[in-house]
């Protein structure tokens, strides 16, 4: 059984609510004011079963101009729209605006329902039908079937139902139940004994009883206590169904139309949107930069300013890239349709598609900005992920964050990431809790910068093994987590862009310089340490002649890296062979006597207490000895 969502549209008092009652046996005017005034103010919902067993949910959309926001909310998730036109009046201004909105929101299937046919004669009916067809020529409704009915008498209802069955029999676009669930809220109320109830059309995914979801943009987690679809209790609901959900942990006063129920951390609130905006051919307005507009998407209505990114103005029938700066936060997804109405007077002037739901503030007339938006307009979800990865080249971005930014499911993101990795567009770094993504362009740029910096560093510091790894991170990758940075260095090493020598990084072919200066300084150090033996020298007191202390330090580090000398204390060094012998002597002594003292070390090595103490501290550092409690005593480690 398919679940089909049918909506009504049309001018006030053309009989939409009466038609629905004739089809379903139910009155969708819920409020006393609606019934008293005879017009639909808010959205009404009911359903009926088609002859083949499919269930058609039907939404009664307001026709009055003041309630256009409810009309836009009602269109969310519709498969088919009945455009109701009273035969005794024909197409009216509100009918045209509804047609424009349906077109902007991407409704493709419609039936033109000529209602109140019992009130006119055959000749008048022919004239009205001809007039309707002329008005619809060139619009998305051209060619839509026209059915003559009288909701009051029941005339033509069977034919209307047959037409609905025909249009929904095999090619209704299947809703995506495999992505994240999204339920734009169009009503919220409380029931005694139950608490908060929300209703809406589930536009994607699946929601199950006991799921914990998040209410956006308020950021409130709530648990699904129960689910109803057309008045029947269900364990699950699917994309395309009209649902009522009982929630815990959220109060009615916290929810408003425009909130969206979706998985926790699956979306990101935003007050900026990059869009492709089309101004209606019929619009009497020209959209100028910084115009204030009413913005409608899903069930949301928000005031915003339109920043025109590629044009000075957008006239009737024209389109352009626009950044909408919203006065409130919402949570949306790329590809969502929207409508904009002029601030005052309230006229529908256009609409379009959201290209980027979480952009940064953009400046006007920037070539790279326009190119990026063109790619987002024409590209797949994988293309959008690639653009996000590129935008985070200096930080890298996790798959979790990508899912949040794009409102795609983790599985969809993983599939796109795999595709992009296979084609060489991105690199991935799987970590224990998440996978990080790096765009190949960003990697190439980083590799070039790093190589240039290392070459310059090697030229300035020829007696160093390269730049310290920690310094590289702070210079080029300071926004990247340390464990992810380690993966980056590993990749750059595997790519042959860099070489690693312990904690130093250098270009692949680089070797430290061992020229006359090196030979002279290293010889001075080694001779000095050899002569001093266990009466350690402070290396800063060694005379290097005209060689700077900085170069002396660098050459000392080379001797350390090569294992020719060892560091005894912060400023004392000696030959590695001396400390190797000292280790053997101390271990032999400890095999005879469990305790060795500083005084004994002093005597064994014929040195001063000032040098004996560092010998034992060095042995502590290499886990040969350890303190027993007394400062001057050691035992075997």
């Amino acid at each position: 059984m398919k679940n089909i969502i049918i909506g009504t549209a049309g001018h006030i008092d053309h009989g939409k609510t009466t038609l629905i009652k004739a089809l379903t046996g139910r009155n969708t005017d819920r409020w006393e004011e609606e019934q008293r005034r005879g017009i639909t103010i808010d959205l009404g919902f009911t359903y009926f079963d088609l002859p083949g067993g499919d269930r058609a949910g039907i939404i009664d959309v307001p026709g009055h101009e003041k309630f256009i926001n409810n009309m836009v909310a009602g269109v969310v998730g519709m498969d088919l729209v009945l455009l109701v036109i009273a035969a005794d009046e024909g197409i009216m201004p509100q009918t045209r605006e509804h047609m424009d909105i349906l077109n902007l929101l991407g409704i493709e299937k419609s039936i033109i329902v000529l209602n109140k046919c019992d009130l006119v004669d055959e000749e008048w009916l022919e004239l009205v039908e001809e007039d309707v067809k002329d008005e619809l020529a060139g619009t998305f409704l051209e060619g839509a079937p026209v059915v003559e009915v009288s909701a009051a008498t029941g005339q033509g209802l069977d034919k209307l139902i047959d037409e609905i069955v025909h249009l929904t029999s095999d090619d209704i676009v299947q809703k995506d139940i495999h992505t994240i669930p999204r339920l734009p809220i169009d009503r919220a109320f409380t029931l005694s004994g139950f608490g908060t109830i929300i209703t809406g059309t589930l536009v994607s995914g699946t929601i199950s009883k006991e799921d914990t979801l998040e209410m956006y943009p308020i950021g409130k987690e709530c648990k699904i206590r129960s689910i109803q679809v057309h008045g029947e209790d269900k364990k699950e609901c699917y994309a395309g169904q009209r649902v009522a959900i009982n929630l815990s942990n959220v109060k009615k006063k916290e929810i408003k139309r425009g909130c969206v129920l979706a998985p926790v951390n699956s979306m990101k609130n935003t007050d900026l949107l990059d869009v492709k905006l089309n101004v209606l051919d019929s619009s009497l307005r020209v959209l100028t930069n910084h115009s204030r507009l009413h913005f409608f998407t899903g069930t949301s209505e928000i005031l915003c300013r339109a920043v025109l990114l590629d044009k000075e103005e957008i006239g009737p029938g024209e389109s352009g890239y626009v950044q909408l700066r919203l006065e409130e936060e919402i949570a949306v997804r790329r590809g969502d349709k929207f409508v904009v109405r002029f601030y005052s007077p309230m006229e529908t002037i256009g609409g379009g598609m959201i290209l980027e739901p979480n952009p940064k503030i953009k400046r006007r007339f920037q070539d790279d900005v326009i190119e990026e938006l063109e790619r987002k307009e024409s590209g797949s979800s994988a293309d959008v992920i690639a653009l996000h990865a590129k935008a985070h080249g200096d930080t890298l971005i996790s798959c979790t964050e990508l899912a949040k930014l794009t409102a795609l499911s983790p599985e969809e993101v993983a599939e796109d990431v795999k595709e992009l990795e296979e084609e060489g567009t991105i690199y991935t770094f799987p970590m224990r809790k998440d996978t990080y993504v790096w765009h190949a362009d960003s990697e190439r740029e980083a590799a070039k910068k790093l190589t240039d910096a290392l070459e310059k560093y090697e030229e300035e510091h020829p007696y160093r093994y390269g730049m310290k790894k920690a310094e590289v991170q702070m210079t080029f990758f300071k926004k990247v987590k340390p464990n992810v940075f380690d993966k980056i260095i590993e990749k750059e090493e595997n790519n042959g862009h860099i070489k690693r020598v312990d904690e130093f990084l250098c270009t692949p072919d680089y070797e430290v310089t061992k020229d006359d200066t090196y030979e002279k300084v290293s010889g001075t150090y080694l001779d000095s340490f050899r002569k001093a033996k266990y009466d350690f020298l402070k290396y800063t007191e060694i005379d290097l002649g005209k060689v700077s202390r900085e170069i002396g330090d660098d050459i000392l580090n080379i001797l350390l890296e090569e294992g020719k000398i060892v560091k005894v204390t912060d400023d004392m060094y000696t030959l590695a062979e001396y400390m190797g012998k000292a280790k053997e002597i101390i271990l032999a002594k400890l095999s005879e006597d469990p305790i060795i003292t500083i005084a004994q070390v002093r005597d064994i090595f014929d040195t001063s207490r000032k040098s004996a103490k560092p010998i034992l501290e060095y042995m502590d550092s290499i886990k040969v000895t350890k303190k027993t409690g007394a400062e001057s005593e050691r035992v075997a480690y």
Side-chain angles (χ1 to χ4, degrees):
M1 181 181 77
K2 291 203 295 281
N3 287 278
I4 299 159
I5 302 296
I6 299 173
T8 62
H11 193 72
I12 183 176
D13 203 30
H14 276 207
K16 298 186 297 299
T17 302
T18 307
L19 175 64
I20 292 174
K21 186 175 182 181
L23 287 170
T24 68
R26 302 178 187 87
N27 190 346
T28 56
D29 281 343
R30 296 178 294 108
W31 308 117
E32 179 185 345
E33 184 184 2
E34 291 178 323
Q35 295 183 13
R36 177 170 50 80
R37 293 172 61 186
I39 64 171
T40 300
I41 297 173
D42 208 340
L43 299 170
F45 312 104
T46 185
Y47 67 93
F48 66 104
D49 291 329
L50 297 172
D54 290 337
R55 177 154 289 182
I58 193 161
I59 303 175
D60 188 8
V61 171
H64 195 281
E65 189 275 336
K66 289 182 180 178
F67 311 123
I68 287 286
N69 59 331
N70 286 341
M71 186 266 168
V72 175
V75 173
V76 174
M78 283 185 187
D79 298 302
L80 170 70
V81 169
L82 307 180
L83 183 62
V84 182
I85 301 171
D88 60 340
E89 291 190 14
I91 289 182
M92 301 291 282
Q94 217 64 55
T95 313
R96 293 187 180 90
E97 185 166 26
H98 279 207
M99 288 165 50
D100 288 336
I101 289 171
L102 294 173
N103 187 25
L104 291 167
L105 294 177
I107 300 299
E108 297 178 354
K109 292 180 177 292
S110 294
I111 298 174
I112 311 304
V113 182
L114 285 182
N115 193 22
K116 303 186 180 183
C117 291
D118 59 315
L119 301 180
V120 298
D121 57 32
E122 194 67 34
E123 184 178 353
W124 178 264
L125 191 58
E126 288 180 7
L127 288 172
V128 170
E129 187 168 342
E130 197 64 37
D131 181 54
V132 167
K133 289 181 177 178
D134 288 343
E135 284 281 351
L136 300 181
T139 73
F140 79 105
L141 291 168
E142 184 177 18
V146 179
V147 180
E148 300 168 3
V149 306
S150 169
T153 67
Q155 171 193 339
L157 292 183
D158 288 343
K159 186 178 178 183
L160 175 59
I161 290 173
D162 288 344
E163 196 63 57
I164 291 171
V165 170
H166 173 68
L167 282 182
T168 60
S169 59
D170 54 12
D171 58 350
I172 283 290
V173 176
Q174 292 300 306
K175 304 297 189 302
D176 190 353
I177 64 172
H178 301 297
T179 186
I180 66 165
R182 284 198 303 155
L183 179 66
I185 311 305
D186 48 41
R187 287 172 61 206
F189 53 93
T190 56
L191 282 179
S192 179
F194 290 90
T196 304
I197 310 289
I198 58 169
T199 67
T201 301
L202 187 57
V203 295
S204 64
T206 303
I207 294 176
S208 302
K209 188 177 178 181
E210 302 300 325
D211 281 351
T212 297
L213 301 177
E214 184 172 348
M215 187 68 70
Y216 297 87
I218 65 174
K220 199 79 179 281
E221 288 189 23
C222 38
K223 193 169 184 179
I224 309 301
R225 296 173 66 179
S226 62
I227 299 171
Q228 280 197 351
V229 179
H230 300 310
E232 297 179 4
D233 289 331
K234 300 288 184 181
K235 291 183 178 179
E236 289 183 317
C237 55
Y238 304 93
Q241 293 181 325
R242 283 289 313 171
V243 300
I245 293 179
N246 182 201
L247 298 174
S248 63
N249 197 43
V250 64
K251 297 177 181 177
K252 173 190 175 291
K253 65 181 180 181
E254 296 178 283
I255 305 172
K256 61 180 179 179
R257 177 174 291 169
C259 285
V260 177
L261 192 64
V264 177
N265 288 326
S266 65
M267 302 180 74
K268 192 170 183 178
N269 292 348
T270 182
D271 58 7
L272 291 175
L273 296 173
D274 289 343
V275 305
K276 180 68 174 289
L277 195 150
N278 309 301
V279 173
L280 292 166
D281 291 335
S282 59
S283 175
L284 301 176
R285 304 279 176 183
V286 172
L287 184 64
T288 57
N289 188 50
H290 222 57
S291 294
R292 199 175 191 209
L293 304 171
H294 292 263
F295 170 81
F296 301 87
T297 189
T299 57
S300 299
E301 177 190 0
I302 295 176
L303 289 171
C304 67
R305 294 282 182 183
V307 177
L308 278 52
L309 298 175
D310 62 341
K311 293 182 177 178
E312 289 292 352
E313 59 182 34
I314 306 175
E318 296 178 345
S319 62
Y321 295 116
V322 176
Q323 182 163 85
L324 299 177
R325 298 180 179 173
L326 311 178
E327 296 184 15
E328 300 174 45
E329 286 192 336
I330 58 171
V332 293
R333 181 173 176 171
R334 172 182 174 265
D336 286 353
K337 300 291 182 66
F338 68 91
V339 170
V340 287
R341 307 190 80 210
F342 199 67
Y343 177 65
S344 182
M346 283 271 280
E347 299 170 4
T348 301
I349 61 171
M353 184 175 75
I354 295 171
L355 302 179
E356 175 51 62
N358 296 99
K360 296 178 181 177
I361 288 181
K362 290 181 170 62
R363 292 189 296 128
R364 304 179 67 201
F365 304 113
Q366 302 295 306
D367 291 342
D368 58 334
V369 167
I370 306 308
E371 181 183 346
E372 176 189 332
L373 292 175
E374 286 173 347
R375 288 178 61 192
K376 285 185 176 178
E377 182 183 5
S378 61
S380 63
S381 60
D383 295 325
V384 173
I385 282 176
L387 287 169
H388 277 299
K390 194 167 185 177
H392 291 78
D394 60 340
T395 60
L396 280 67
I397 186 167
S398 69
C399 286
T400 299
E401 186 65 15
L402 282 170
K404 196 171 179 179
L405 285 173
T406 58
L408 294 169
S409 69
E411 293 76 18
E412 289 171 311
V413 170
E415 189 175 328
D416 286 341
V417 164
K418 182 180 178 182
E419 175 189 327
L420 291 167
E421 185 175 29
E422 287 175 350
E423 67 185 34
T425 302
I426 62 170
Y427 298 111
T428 62
F429 301 116
M431 311 302 290
R432 189 166 60 88
K433 292 185 177 179
D434 210 339
T435 294
Y436 284 80
V437 174
W438 202 20
H439 198 282
D441 289 351
S442 302
E443 185 276 334
R444 282 188 285 272
E445 183 182 357
K448 177 70 167 58
K449 285 182 178 178
L450 182 54
T451 300
D452 290 347
L454 290 176
E455 286 176 350
K456 184 179 179 183
Y457 191 90
E458 290 157 4
E459 186 178 339
E460 292 175 353
H461 306 284
Y463 303 110
R464 296 182 187 177
Y465 278 100
M467 190 181 291
K468 286 185 178 179
K469 181 168 161 261
E471 186 179 351
V472 169
Q473 180 173 9
M474 290 309 297
T475 304
F476 298 101
F477 301 98
K478 61 183 176 182
K479 296 180 182 178
V480 177
K481 292 182 177 180
N483 56 345
V484 179
F485 170 68
D486 289 340
K487 294 281 188 180
I488 289 174
I489 293 305
E490 185 180 321
K491 175 147 204 74
E492 293 308 299
E493 193 174 4
N494 292 337
N495 285 350
H497 294 148
I498 61 172
K499 181 172 70 175
R500 182 170 176 174
V501 182
D502 292 328
E503 291 304 302
F504 297 94
L505 303 175
C506 59
T507 54
D509 298 327
Y510 172 74
E511 298 290 341
V512 293
T513 300
K514 292 191 175 180
D515 54 10
D516 290 344
T517 300
Y518 171 82
E519 295 297 339
K520 179 183 176 182
V521 173
S522 63
T524 300
Y525 279 139
L526 294 174
D527 287 344
S528 299
F529 297 147
R530 187 174 294 110
K531 290 175 183 176
K533 209 163 184 180
Y534 294 108
D535 287 325
F536 302 130
L537 293 172
K538 287 186 177 180
Y539 87 99
T540 52
E541 295 175 355
I542 298 174
D543 184 9
L544 301 178
K546 295 181 179 179
V547 176
S548 69
R549 179 54 59 184
E550 183 183 19
I551 290 177
D553 291 346
D554 291 346
I555 293 174
L556 186 79
N557 282 326
I558 293 174
L559 295 173
L560 275 171
E561 289 293 327
E562 292 180 347
K564 293 179 179 178
I565 64 173
V566 294
K567 185 176 183 179
V568 184
T569 65
D570 284 344
D571 59 354
M572 289 182 178
Y573 295 79
T574 189
L575 299 183
E577 62 184 270
Y578 286 171
M579 296 310 283
K581 289 178 182 176
K583 175 182 173 181
E584 293 174 6
I585 293 169
I586 289 173
L587 284 173
K589 178 71 172 68
L590 286 171
S591 67
E592 300 171 359
D593 187 340
I595 295 176
I596 189 170
T597 65
I598 292 177
Q600 289 173 324
V601 170
R602 179 195 61 200
D603 295 339
I604 291 170
F605 294 103
D606 191 22
T607 186
S608 65
R609 183 180 177 85
K610 183 179 177 183
S611 293
K613 184 180 178 183
I615 291 174
L616 274 185
E617 289 174 347
Y618 176 81
M619 294 303 157
D620 291 345
S621 70
I622 63 171
K623 295 182 170 41
V624 172
T625 59
K626 63 181 179 181
K627 289 182 181 179
T628 60
E631 179 64 29
S632 63
E633 293 181 348
R634 299 292 193 277
V635 296
Y637 189 82

